[in-house]
Amino acid sequence: MSDLPVIPFERQDALEVPAAYRELRAEKGITRVRTRVGGEVWLVSGYEDARRLFADSRLGRSHPEPEKAARVSGSALLGGPQGESATEKADNERMRKLFMPSFSARRMKALSDHVGALVDERLEHLAGLTPPADLHAELSFPLPVLVICQLLGVPFEDRIYFSGVSARMGDVADEAKGMAAREELSAYMAGLIERKRHDPGEDVLSDLAGVLDDDGRVAQLAGVLLFAGHETTVNRIDYGVLFLEANPDQLALLKADPGRAPAAVEEILRMASPSLHGLPRYAHDDIEIGGVTIRRGEAVLIMPGAANRDERIYPDPDTFDVGRTSSDPHLSFGYGPRYCIGASLARVELEAVFSRLYRRFPDLRVAVPFDELRRNEGRITEGVAELPVIW
């Protein structure tokens, strides 16, 4: 048995990234580690290394010999290779070309007034409740779900169903359960696409149904978008509230000037790491980087959460600072040709929340100690299951 370090490293505080990542980066740079399911991978936790490898066309989600691929986790989404190495690049470019217009920065900016109105509605609803109330259930969860449902054309009344499927998809302890859930969600999306072919609406799935015959691939990607479009933003809203409360001086700056919301959002995105499972890639050719050689077929695990706290890029990287300026953007949405297509949407939602939340509830605070918050354990994006607040 190898004596390699085993990742993900444990953390005691939901807001931290374990110091072991920084120590390993400082000592060895890109280094071999073992995952909890036994696979040996190259861990990339430095900012410049991560950015270079995100943009390197020799890395992909597919594997040249899938049967030999190292397992990264027990997740159906991130546990192993996906797609065909011979067609991955063309498939990715085709799908992005289809989906990108719907998620362009210009289109998302046009959506911002509508999202702001939805936030106002949720906050008015919250104001009518008797504290303590669960901010996760009343705002963090329903807002991103409603927005992604409207954008894609998914019935909002199905939110409990697909939230349950998403939770099973993100399970890191039972890959078979996760794979079954992924197939179930793809089948659900395929059914929606077929219905929209006969009864279209003004939404992304209707647009695609009118021009595509390859429902299977589109349904699979749409299912991943539905998962990512609510799961990750939900967590960032919760984490943003926690970071701001943990840093009252920074919260005071935001309260005094809600125009700081965009900068606060970028710092939330940089600091929040709901998942420490990393993003897997496989080498399609040998790659020389950082003094090591990544051989064809070997697994690479890029850790945006650790890279976003690289002290060589960000002074005092563990300090939450809404006034932080840097010419190097965080890597929470990736970098290069696979930069997350939903990045602009997430920013619109988060800015709408954090420009309004503390204006409507200036005395809002978490009702229990942070270490008593119940977490979603055993999932790709852990986050909190509840966020009780008072005001």
Side-chain angles (χ1 to χ4, degrees), residues 77-95:
L77 289 172
L78 300 177
Q82 296 179 11
E84 300 292 333
S85 60
T87 61
E88 178 181 4
K89 183 178 180 181
D91 289 344
N92 181 56
E93 289 176 351
R94 176 171 173 260
M95 289 298 117

Side-chain angles (χ1 to χ4, degrees), residues 115-124 139 143 349 352-353 356:
V115 174
L118 294 176
V119 172
D120 289 336
E121 289 176 10
R122 296 311 308 171
L123 295 181
E124 281 305 307
L139 174 66
L143 175 71
E349 294 177 63
V353 168
R356 289 168 170 80

Side-chain angles (χ1 to χ4, degrees), residues 8-31:
F9 295 122
E10 294 285 352
R11 60 178 168 188
Q12 301 303 315
D13 183 339
L15 301 185
E16 74 169 353
V17 171
Y21 288 104
R22 179 171 300 146
E23 294 163 1
L24 202 57
R25 176 175 67 234
E27 180 183 351
K28 296 186 176 181
I30 298 176
T31 187

Side-chain angles (χ1 to χ4, degrees), residues 307-364:
N308 284 339
R309 300 200 190 192
D310 189 332
E311 66 283 357
R312 297 166 297 185
I313 303 297
Y314 302 105
D316 300 319
D318 294 326
T319 298
F320 182 82
D321 180 3
V322 301
R324 186 182 294 276
T325 58
S326 174
S327 59
D328 298 294
H330 60 76
L331 300 177
S332 298
F333 295 123
Y335 181 80
R338 289 207 171 179
Y339 187 77
C340 176
I341 65 174
S344 293
L345 176 61
R347 286 187 167 102
V348 164
E349 294 177 63
L350 292 169
E351 289 174 17
V353 168
F354 289 104
S355 64
R356 289 168 170 80
L357 178 60
Y358 293 99
R359 280 190 291 177
R360 186 64 181 82
F361 297 97
D363 297 322
L364 183 130

